[in-house]
Amino acid sequence: MKWITCALCVSLLAVGLGGRASAADPPPIDHHDMSGMHNMPALDTTPGDSLYQLDFSLEPVGNAPVRFASLRGEPLLVTMFYSHCTSVCPLVTTQLQHMVAALAPADRRRLRILMLSFDTVRDTPQALAAFMAEHHIRDPNWLIARAKPGDVRALAAALGIQYRELPDHSFNHSALITLLDAQGVPRARTQTITAQDPEFLSSVRALLAAESPKPIDKTP
Amino acid sequence: MIHSKVSSSSLALLASFCMAGALHAATANPPGARIDAVPTETVHAVLTTPPNVPPPTMRHHPVKVIVELEVRELDKEISEGVHYTFWTFGGTTPGSFIRVRQGDTVEFHLRNHPDNKMPHNIDLHGVVGPGGGAASSFTAPGHESQFTFKALNQGIYVYHCATSPVGMHIANGMYGLMLVEPPEGQTKVDHEYYVMQGDFYTVGKYREKGQQAFDMQKAIDERPTYVLFNGSEGALVGDNALSAKVGEKVRLYIGNGGPNLVSSFHMIGEIFDRVWFEGGTHYQENVQTTLIPAGGAAIAEFHTVVPGSFVMVDHSIFRAFNKGALAILKVSGPENKLVYSGKEVDSVYLGDKSQSLAAVSQAAASTERGTLSLEQQIKAGEALFTGTCSVCHQATGQGIEGVFPPLAGSDLLATTPKRAIQIVLNGLTGPIQVNGKNYNSVMPPMSQLNDDELANILTYVTNSWGNKGGTAFSAAEIQAVRKGTARPPGAAN
Amino acid sequence: MKMRAWCWLLLCLAGACAAAERLPIGPAELDSVLSTGAGQPPVHVNRFVLDRLPVTNGEFLLFVRTHPQWQRGHAPTLFADDDYLSHWAGPDALGAATQADQPVTRVSWFAARAYCEAAGGRLPDWQEWELAAAASEHLEDARKDPAWRERILDWYSQPASKPLARVGLGPPDTHGVQDLHGLVWEWVEDFNSLIVSGDSRNQGDPDKLKFCGAGALSLQGRDNFAILMRIAFLSSLEARSSARSLGFRCAAAGASR
């Protein structure tokens, strides 16, 4: 009796699952395929509130794709933008440049900057390269990147950035620069983009001083 | 120095943004000295539920005050047997009373209970800053927001939720009062009470029992179902009435959460010695009724003199008696008849029948006993004559020459007194001569008066103003004539 | 005994799984509440399919059993807050107080997304949700129907402390979808595109430096409070937040824009 009940359950379960699958077959979960919207913890030692819990692929201009989590190891300034933005984003860029210039050379070499584009359609590698040229961004530590739409949405959500595409393909978005420590945990935030934010700059300096340099993890 | 390759128009745009941003930065984040140094002494604010008010701070210097206010969405009775889902600050409508002192730095924690359905925030009218704090306190259920402000101005200030749709959040009870004490403190009083008016909009009618939902259309049309003090019909009446003793000084902090109505606040039987109208710094004296705007407040002080129940109303009076805008202050203690005596005399007021009809009752009693005397008849007749016969024949019996014949010294009455019975019963028209004068008028029949009444009246007439006294008319005589003669058309009896 | 209990559990879950059908909606032109300025044309929403019902406790339980990294206590704090699945008896057990066929609540945006991805779909976009939710039993677009609005507002005035009804009790709308209103709030994929100022009285007062291009923030049709309150609620959340009256359902096939 027990055996029959069990068989019945299992077959029903199969039917049930099969019924759901007929609507749209779920893709097999390939644990080696780190693209797409999977949210898998990168390493057991990653803190629970580290943004590197988000693992997805970035396409930085002029570089091969890298995984977001591979930016672990040094403090990171991260923000989001789009290249044809006329008001806020140029100010954010300038603000970041001022900040970097205000650091000591040793700090400048360690600090990384990531600007991820909202516009997955129009911000092609060429458009982003043009943006870099326009703003004279040459530092290899400065990543101007694009990613898949779902990943952009996830990073924005994790950072607390809001954005929305408008019919004319510009974007409504909040302006926020976040400082992540070497482990990816947010340590400071600023929304001040038209003037210096001395408190934020102090946080950057303090973090760089506190975290001794680590070798950059380049495993894909 | 980094240079961007931008066009001149973009530069101009950039410059204007920069300037705007610099202004923004200057107020939000000035380098070096920011706001005044935050005081080092920290206290936790005592919050009270209405109608109670926290005690005076008794402070003489600014401190940091921590306020923790929790939003709860609760099902409560708005009227007996009528349930409504209130959205509340601190579990009550109005919300908890906050008391700080001018100059205090307030660290405000707004908590949204995880069982709530809606996000909420708070706009405190005593806050100088974007949205009065609303921009910085938008909180999802199960979360807490914190922001800090300085209480720059003294006064009594409304606070309320400002989440869209704002009118609905306010209409559901999300308002309260915050007092910012003047730096010199306030005078001592015996009682401080917290009363706040609000209008409520339900789908069902006034006092329709059961669970009632909020009616957005009625709110837009400003047609409230209930207008209440402190969130329910029973909030401040009966056992929940406010109390004081004779000879005490009372201070009321009166708010109006709205959302729509302005209040005409009045206390029946009391006069406000001082009203800090609109909650401001100056007061008016000797006020009967004060206007409290929606989203505003006032402070009223008065002293109690006599005992009794003093009813607070919105003097747009249908709100008080048909929508519930009633609250009571019970004052107990010794009476003071010089100020208010209570009812002294309760007598019948007859208008122009100023004579007491006591004589008539007395005569009627005597008739029953069979002991009716001439004097009694005359007295009763006089009482009845006044206002009836005297209208034409005058109180003096003189009549009006050429119009109404006299009764005083009337030769007609002297020669044929019993003819008077017929005249009063059936009236008289056509020419007559009285005391050598001609009259041609209309006397209407007085047959509506009964036999006793007519007997008494005629007895009075024939015994007054120099008429030969001694004659008494009896009810039987009147009855005999009444039966024996016909009434003219239209006459009674 | 243990085997029998396990089998009965599977039976329940199978029943729950079998119910997760998706219904087609659109393509359609939507007058979205999120206006992009006066005189803007409607938004085109491509054809998509939407779950008929919200995801249930039973379905989510099956998910966390096959994806243990999403169990309470395992999910990193970036993805789930302290209230995540706090109503379940254990990380992979519902307990007696929680019914398998109630909509799952206390799930974060990240958790909901992961579930939908595992189920071969994704969360609906706000405008897909808005299009679907505009329907009543009789009208494809009931948003101007006062009775429809009143029913929704009625739900908002019920306290959230009442136990949740099971899914499927609401009448199907013109698309056949049930329980978009009156049961739980629902996540959308682009919840962080609902840019509204924390003080909702500022609509139409653009602070251009706060939100780039802020001239386009005002909400159209502000008399449609039912929808406005949805936006107010979703815009108050973080991606890791969960709430006791917040659940979700999945969509699939076709990008919205």
Side-chain angles (χ1 to χ4, degrees):
Chain A
M1 190 56 195
K2 235 196 269 187
W3 186 89
I4 294 170
T5 316
C6 205
L8 191 68
C9 295
V10 171
S11 54
L12 271 171
L13 180 63
V15 166
L17 283 173
R20 274 189 73 239
S22 67
D25 283 304
I29 297 168
D30 181 347
H31 293 275
H32 299 288
D33 175 3
M34 300 308 276
S35 66
M37 294 185 287
H38 289 287
N39 301 320
M40 303 270 297
L43 277 180
D44 286 341
T45 56
T46 313
D49 50 349
S50 163
L51 256 71
Y52 298 130
Q53 297 283 356
L54 278 175
D55 201 24
F56 60 94
S57 178
L58 289 174
E59 236 184 86
V61 175
N63 282 303
V66 293
R67 262 211 301 302
F68 178 58
S70 70
L71 298 175
R72 234 172 40 253
E74 290 286 15
L76 178 76
L77 286 178
V78 56
T79 189
M80 297 178 71
F81 82 116
Y82 64 109
S83 70
H84 48 107
C85 167
T86 52
S87 50
V88 170
C89 311
L91 296 173
V92 172
T93 314
T94 313
Q95 173 76 308
L96 286 166
Q97 286 169 323
H98 279 293
M99 256 192 257
V100 167
L103 294 173
D107 284 345
R108 241 181 272 156
R109 277 195 292 277
R110 288 172 50 210
L111 179 70
R112 278 196 282 254
I113 295 155
L114 171 63
M115 293 179 70
L116 183 65
S117 172
F118 297 118
D119 196 344
T120 55
V121 175
R122 267 148 232 97
D123 273 346
T124 58
Q126 294 77 16
L128 293 178
F131 174 85
M132 285 184 77
E134 192 177 317
H135 289 270
H136 302 274
I137 297 168
R138 291 180 208 96
D139 191 338
N141 274 0
W142 197 311
L143 303 173
I144 310 286
R146 57 202 298 264
K148 289 212 180 74
D151 298 330
V152 173
R153 186 61 70 182
L155 182 64
L159 287 169
I161 290 177
Q162 295 169 299
Y163 72 96
R164 185 159 77 95
E165 186 174 354
L166 303 175
D168 65 353
H169 306 300
S170 66
F171 285 78
N172 261 14
H173 65 96
S174 50
L176 178 70
I177 302 172
T178 310
L179 172 68
L180 304 182
D181 67 15
Q183 295 287 73
V185 176
R187 299 294 280 266
R189 289 179 179 83
T190 182
Q191 290 193 286
T192 310
I193 53 173
T194 54
Q196 293 298 310
D197 185 343
E199 206 177 282
F200 186 75
L201 192 57
S202 311
S203 306
V204 175
R205 286 202 181 102
L207 192 62
L208 286 160
E211 298 190 322
S212 51
K214 282 190 178 65
I216 294 170
D217 183 359
K218 284 204 162 57
T219 49
Chain B
M1 188 61 190
I2 310 285
H3 297 283
S4 312
K5 208 175 174 179
V6 291
S7 69
S8 55
S9 56
S10 301
L11 259 175
L13 196 67
L14 207 70
S16 60
F17 277 128
C18 279
M19 287 196 298
L23 267 174
H24 171 81
T27 47
N29 237 351
R34 298 155 77 84
I35 49 174
D36 300 286
V38 174
T40 48
E41 189 188 336
T42 303
V43 304
H44 280 263
V46 172
L47 304 180
T48 54
T49 56
N52 300 313
V53 176
T57 63
M58 308 298 264
R59 290 198 287 265
H60 305 287
H61 54 271
V63 299
K64 180 169 172 188
V65 184
I66 297 181
V67 174
E68 288 158 327
L69 196 53
E70 184 193 51
V71 175
R72 292 296 317 250
E73 295 168 13
L74 297 168
D75 181 71
K76 300 209 290 186
E77 278 200 339
I78 190 170
S79 179
E80 201 182 313
V82 185
H83 285 261
Y84 190 82
T85 302
F86 288 85
W87 297 347
T88 70
F89 286 107
T92 55
T93 291
S96 309
F97 195 103
I98 305 170
R99 189 170 197 151
V100 298
R101 180 181 172 275
Q102 183 177 11
D104 283 345
T105 296
V106 180
E107 184 186 284
F108 201 98
H109 296 250
L110 185 70
R111 297 174 171 160
N112 192 348
H113 195 275
D115 280 343
N116 293 342
K117 218 178 242 170
M118 310 301 298
H120 296 288
N121 61 8
I122 190 167
D123 168 4
L124 299 118
H125 287 186
V127 170
V128 176
S136 318
S137 58
F138 193 43
T139 314
H143 287 78
E144 177 176 327
S145 293
Q146 179 187 322
F147 66 98
T148 302
F149 66 91
K150 189 161 179 189
L152 297 177
N153 296 55
Q154 60 176 280
I156 179 78
Y157 296 102
V158 170
Y159 67 77
H160 63 88
C161 181
T163 300
S164 181
V166 184
M168 182 176 181
H169 284 250
I170 295 176
N172 281 345
M174 297 196 78
Y175 44 79
L177 288 182
M178 177 176 78
L179 174 68
V180 183
E181 290 175 340
E184 69 275 12
Q186 295 160 282
T187 55
K188 192 183 176 307
V189 294
D190 297 295
H191 298 280
E192 286 184 313
Y193 286 118
Y194 171 26
V195 174
M196 194 154 188
Q197 182 173 327
D199 22 296
F200 295 87
Y201 302 83
T202 61
V203 173
K205 294 206 210 352
Y206 176 64
R207 291 190 176 165
E208 190 178 310
K209 306 261 181 275
Q211 182 79 28
Q212 289 295 337
F214 169 69
D215 190 328
M216 177 65 87
Q217 195 54 51
K218 281 188 190 161
I220 292 171
D221 295 340
E222 300 190 27
R223 294 185 294 120
T225 322
Y226 296 89
V227 180
L228 303 170
F229 293 113
N230 291 12
S232 75
E233 278 215 78
L236 295 171
V237 299
D239 291 336
N240 300 325
L242 304 179
S243 63
K245 293 207 198 56
V246 165
E248 289 189 318
K249 216 169 154 198
V250 180
R251 182 182 294 139
L252 291 180
Y253 298 100
I254 318 148
N256 183 6
N260 288 323
L261 304 186
V262 171
S263 175
S264 306
F265 188 78
H266 172 83
M267 185 178 275
I268 301 175
E270 256 295 352
I271 300 163
F272 300 127
D273 297 322
R274 289 181 180 181
V275 173
W276 283 260
F277 47 90
E278 297 177 1
T281 311
H282 301 289
Y283 55 83
Q284 178 60 285
E285 295 179 277
N286 300 319
V287 176
Q288 67 196 278
T289 303
T290 188
L291 275 175
I292 308 179
I299 304 178
E301 272 181 20
F302 58 96
H303 62 288
T304 57
V305 184
V306 293
S309 284
F310 296 85
V311 184
M312 289 167 266
V313 296
D314 179 339
H315 218 292
S316 289
I317 211 70
F318 276 91
R319 296 175 195 173
F321 299 118
N322 297 73
K323 294 197 168 84
L326 282 178
I328 296 188
L329 170 72
K330 274 212 192 78
V331 178
S332 56
E335 305 206 332
N336 185 342
K337 298 278 186 194
L338 290 177
V339 171
Y340 185 78
S341 64
K343 191 180 271 189
E344 284 165 326
V345 177
D346 186 350
S347 60
V348 175
Y349 177 62
L350 301 169
D352 52 348
K353 280 201 197 291
S354 50
Q355 295 260 51
S356 169
L357 284 173
V360 177
S361 329
Q362 202 178 18
S366 297
T367 308
E368 255 180 74
R369 282 197 297 273
T371 56
L372 186 65
S373 70
L374 183 64
E375 286 78 30
Q376 282 173 336
Q377 273 197 283
I378 291 171
K379 276 203 164 61
E382 189 185 355
L384 291 161
F385 181 89
T386 311
T388 317
C389 318
S390 66
V391 174
C392 298
H393 293 289
Q394 306 309 303
T396 52
Q398 296 293 332
I400 296 179
E401 198 165 312
V403 185
F404 303 124
L407 301 171
S410 161
D411 54 3
L412 189 150
L413 283 178
T415 51
T416 52
K418 302 298 172 180
R419 192 183 164 196
I421 302 175
Q422 230 199 51
I423 294 173
V424 295
L425 273 173
N426 301 322
L428 186 62
T429 54
I432 57 165
Q433 207 182 65
V434 178
N435 294 357
K437 298 266 166 52
N438 292 320
Y439 295 89
N440 192 346
S441 212
V442 177
M443 170 160 164
M446 290 286 136
S447 55
Q448 71 279 10
L449 296 166
N450 66 31
D451 300 335
D452 287 290
E453 286 169 334
L454 285 172
N456 292 341
I457 288 172
L458 290 173
T459 306
Y460 166 68
V461 166
T462 53
N463 283 283
S464 301
W465 316 300
N467 288 343
K468 199 160 58 160
T471 332
F473 288 72
S474 72
E477 283 176 282
I478 310 293
Q479 195 188 58
V481 178
R482 199 191 285 270
K483 275 206 175 106
T485 57
R487 303 286 90 67
N493 286 352
Chain C
M1 187 59 197
K2 226 179 174 177
M3 182 69 148
R4 194 198 183 96
W6 178 247
C7 283
W8 281 117
L9 176 63
L10 284 177
L11 186 68
C12 295
L13 295 177
C17 287
E21 60 179 288
R22 292 184 187 150
L23 297 160
I25 301 178
E29 305 305 307
L30 171 70
D31 274 317
S32 174
V33 152
L34 302 173
S35 81
T36 50
Q40 289 288 339
V43 172
H44 178 80
V45 180
N46 285 327
R47 183 189 181 283
F48 67 103
V49 290
L50 185 67
D51 279 356
R52 180 169 64 90
L53 298 167
V55 173
T56 62
N57 281 314
E59 290 167 329
F60 205 81
L61 179 65
L62 189 62
F63 167 70
V64 303
R65 278 171 185 263
T66 51
H67 300 74
Q69 70 272 27
W70 282 106
Q71 289 180 8
R72 183 178 86 204
H74 289 117
T77 53
L78 183 74
F79 296 150
D81 66 7
D82 294 338
D83 212 31
Y84 176 59
L85 295 177
S86 63
H87 57 315
W88 287 11
D92 66 346
L94 296 182
T98 303
Q99 313 306 318
D101 52 7
Q102 284 173 317
V104 69
T105 55
R106 310 189 204 194
V107 284
S108 68
W109 179 77
F110 284 112
R113 273 174 120 227
Y115 175 96
C116 287
E117 197 205 321
R122 52 174 176 76
L123 286 173
D125 284 348
W126 164 261
Q127 276 161 342
E128 290 175 332
W129 197 93
E130 196 185 349
L131 177 65
S136 65
E137 300 98 274
H138 310 294
L139 296 170
E140 286 247 325
D141 187 351
R143 290 178 296 171
K144 289 209 172 4
D145 177 6
W148 178 87
R149 289 189 196 179
E150 205 52 54
R151 243 181 23 212
I152 295 175
L153 279 181
D154 204 41
W155 176 69
Y156 294 148
S157 63
Q158 308 294 323
S161 45
K162 292 195 179 134
L164 281 174
R166 64 176 173 81
V167 300
L169 292 178
D173 62 25
T174 52
H175 304 122
V177 176
Q178 291 169 268
D179 296 335
L180 283 168
H181 300 289
L183 190 51
V184 287
W185 304 103
E186 294 186 4
W187 280 113
V188 293
E189 165 72 6
D190 54 348
F191 82 98
N192 63 348
S193 74
L194 300 169
I195 302 173
V196 292
S197 146
D199 181 350
S200 47
R201 299 162 298 177
N202 289 355
Q203 300 310 315
D205 172 27
D207 181 348
K208 284 193 156 58
L209 290 181
K210 191 151 186 261
F211 294 115
C212 200
L217 279 189
S218 51
L219 296 175
Q220 246 181 19
R222 261 190 256 176
D223 57 334
N224 198 327
F225 301 98
I227 310 247
L228 274 188
M229 289 162 81
R230 289 263 157 190
I231 294 180
F233 181 79
L234 287 171
S235 68
S236 74
L237 299 167
E238 294 179 322
R240 56 188 296 268
S241 307
S242 58
R244 294 180 185 186
S245 43
L246 172 64
F248 70 103
R249 72 181 71 206
C250 303
S256 62
R257 268 177 301 155

